[in-house]
Structures are given as C-alpha cells and as structure tokens.
Amino acid sequence: MSTTGQNAPSSTRLGASRAVSLIARREISTRVRARSFLITNALLLVVIIGGLIVASIFTGGDDKPEKIGVVGTNTALSQSITAAGQVTGTKVEIVPLADAAQARTQVDAGDVSVAVAPGQAGGAAFNAVTKDGLSGTSETIVRTAIAQLAQQQALARNNIDPAAFAAAQQAGNRLDVTETTPAKADEGQRLAIAYVGVILLLFAIMTGGGMVSAGVVEEKTSRVVELLLATIRPLHLLWGKILGIGAITFGQLVVLGGAGLITASVTGLLTVPGAAVSMLAAVVVWFLLGFLFFATLYAATGAMVSRQEELGSTAAPMTILSLGVLYAGIFGINALDSTFIKVLSWIPPFSASLMPMRIAAGETDTVQVIGTVVIMVVACLAAVWAASRIYQRSILQTGSKVRWADALKGSAGSAPAPEKVGVTQG
C-alpha cells in the first residue's frame, strides 16, 4: 500500500514523546560534535574570562593599597596618614624609609607613590618626594594628614585637649543628608547581570534561531523531511528540533554565564552573590520565554523556503524584531523609569529585554512582574500556534518561497503541490 508522508498509517508513526525526544537528541548530538561549535564556544569562554580579568585590573578590582613612604621614625605622622586614608576611604600602607636617598630610590622605582620627609630648617615642616608631581589620591591623603598633625600640635602647645576639641568640632560640622531618590543597594551589579543576560539572549536568538531555520531548510532541500514525515508528525518534528537546539543554546547560556559569574566573583567585580542568584533566575526565565518566541517563528521561516539563499529575505522580519529587542535593552537601561520604557516593557517580545533590567533597578513590583510574564506566555503560545500552522502547510512545499500571508491562510500560492513519498507496508 502507498501513502503520502503526511498521511501514513498511524501504525507506522512514532508516539509523540518518543518522536520529539529522538529528534531532539539527534539535533543535540549532531551539532554539539561539530568542530565549529566547539571552537566558537571555546573562544567565547576565553573572551569572557579574559575580558573580566582585564576589567578587574583597570577598575581596581584587586583593591591595592596606596603605598606612602615615611622617612624616619615619625610615628605621629604615620598615624595621621593612616587616619587620613580612612577618612578618604582609601586603604593606605605605610612604607618606612631610612633617609632621603632611599625615598628617591623607592619613588623612582614606583614602589611608593609619594615619600614624606622632614623639611629643611627655616622652610616647610615636611617635604613630599614624588616622581612627577603630587596629585590625585596621594595628594589628598598627605595634605589631610599634615593638616591634622599640625592641628594636633597647635592644640597641645595651647594646652587644649585634642579629644574635646575633636568632639566639639564634630558636633559643629554635623550634616544631615536627605535623599530625594535614594540609591538602591547593589543596583549597579544587578543591572550588569541583567544587561549581560540581554546580550546572551540576542546571541541565542541569532545563533539558535538561525540553526533552527537553516536546519529546516537543509532537511527540506535534501528531501530528508519527506522521509521523516513518513513516521513522524510535522509538529513532533518541529518541536523536537526546537527543543534540541533550545537545550544546546540554554547550555551555552549556563556555561558562558556561569564562567562570567565565577570570574567576576573571584576578581572582585561581583560582590553580592545573593543579588547574583536572584537576578540570574529572572534572566533565565525571560531568556527561555524570549527564545521560545523567536525559535518557533524562525522554524516557520525555514519551512517557507526551498533554498538557503531565500532564507535571508523570509527571516528578515525576525532579524529586525530581534535587533529591536536588543536596542530596547541597550538604550532603555538609561531611562528605565520613563513612561515609554514602562509601557514598552509590557509589550512582547520587548519585555524579554526590558523587564530583567527594570527588575534589577527595582522599578517593578510583583503585579508587574507576574503580569508581563503572563502576557509574554500568551505571546509565545500565539507564536507557537502561528508557527505550527505555517510549518505544517509549508514544509512539503517546493519551488518558490511561500509568503507569510499565504502560509497563514493555508494557500501555497503558485507553489507546486508536495511530492508524494511511497511507504510500502510489508
């Protein structure tokens, strides 16, 4: 008996779960073993880890102390310099120096940023030895320390208790600060995690969505799909491909994101593990929803063409939309409290990039988070319905590409009827 691939007897078809799992495992094993896949991910790991290490060096993630040399055994001066460092929020390391000659040597070698030596008779009380001028943090610390030391000495000469004077001065200098927009704790680090999540989402959409559509076209061009549909329903084939490539892409997110979090924590760029875990959970949820939305539509674009050369024009709307999602996150991070961004964050698929950022900035509440997730889930279901409809009606169409309107209406236009594949039963 002969039958078409889509109308084969039910006895020849695999069950839904077995068919989907077989296709998913096939996608995973085939693509993960590819040399290009392994090389690309290895390079991405090197770039992420190396980039974070370099960033920690230039941003002072290692918290190096300011080294200041003191010539002689002036204990009062050393204590004053250390106290001045605490006032300015700078960690200071005092380096004892024997004489002016050693001070010059240490400064020229860069071992100390500045060396403080006793001044000449009839001149200034102290002399600061520097390589190319006293400036920046070291100048603030040294000048503050010398001023405090001079004040203490003047109080002692006039028999004034330094402790009582300091208490009176502190009371007179008291300043209360009222913040109209209080800074949120760890907001910057949470935003950084959300921002990286948006970048990884676009990477997943471009690579994962591209793999889905290209794989559909490849199977269609080689006529493999006609053989597969003899025993597997079109929707099972579609979902197996999406879940398989989705698992690969999610694995990339876990590996690359995990490597980034570990490196940032080790180098000191990330110091809030609790915030990191909560934000990572939010990023994962929106990543899965965003990828599902785009992957199903990318699969539909692959079913609508018969050659790889035609895929670019058919997938153009998806590419433009995904770039819009990226740009919404990049430019919206500076205006998360604006009315436009608040409204846009409710509209799928832009919510996939904007909501993690608004959550990180503390610009949302529980109702907004749940509401936007529900709307995004509904959008994903609509995308799945449209993609399934297009895929089933276009996967066996050969010849000219199928237009979006025709695919949704169920008309193949001028495309020829699908070729029948015979399946002989014993």
Side-chain angles (χ1 to χ4, degrees), residues 51-246:
L52 289 173
I53 293 175
V54 172
S56 70
I57 294 174
F58 284 99
T59 57
D62 51 359
D63 193 24
K64 291 183 179 179
E66 187 80 14
K67 293 186 177 181
I68 298 178
V70 176
V71 177
T73 56
N74 194 332
T75 304
L77 177 61
S78 299
Q79 292 175 348
S80 184
I81 291 176
T82 302
Q86 294 175 349
V87 171
T88 59
T90 305
K91 186 177 180 181
V92 175
E93 179 181 342
I94 302 297
V95 180
L97 302 174
D99 50 34
Q102 186 182 14
R104 288 179 176 274
T105 302
Q106 294 280 342
V107 169
D108 286 337
D111 294 331
V112 295
S113 57
V114 59
V116 183
Q120 299 295 328
F126 297 98
N127 178 37
V129 181
T130 66
K131 189 172 185 178
D132 54 4
L134 187 62
S135 62
T137 304
S138 58
E139 178 179 15
T140 302
I141 294 174
V142 171
R143 290 191 184 278
T144 302
I146 293 175
Q148 290 177 347
L149 184 60
Q151 183 185 74
Q152 292 173 4
Q153 293 173 345
L155 292 173
R157 287 194 299 269
N158 290 277
N159 297 320
I160 299 175
D161 183 9
F165 179 83
Q169 187 180 44
Q170 183 177 8
N173 292 336
R174 178 177 175 179
L175 175 66
D176 292 331
V177 179
T178 301
E179 299 177 352
T180 58
T181 308
K184 303 178 180 69
D186 308 320
E187 178 182 354
Q189 297 193 34
R190 294 199 306 271
L191 277 173
I193 295 173
Y195 188 83
V196 171
V198 172
I199 301 299
L200 290 176
L201 173 60
L202 180 73
F203 172 77
I205 291 172
M206 291 298 185
T207 58
M211 283 193 291
V212 170
S213 58
V216 171
V217 178
E218 182 181 356
E219 291 176 350
K220 187 174 180 179
T221 303
S222 62
R223 314 300 284 270
V224 171
V225 67
E226 297 175 353
L227 299 177
L228 292 174
L229 292 181
T231 54
I232 297 176
R233 295 183 182 278
L235 283 182
H236 299 165
L237 178 59
L238 171 65
W239 277 108
K241 186 174 290 294
I242 291 175
L243 292 178
I245 295 178

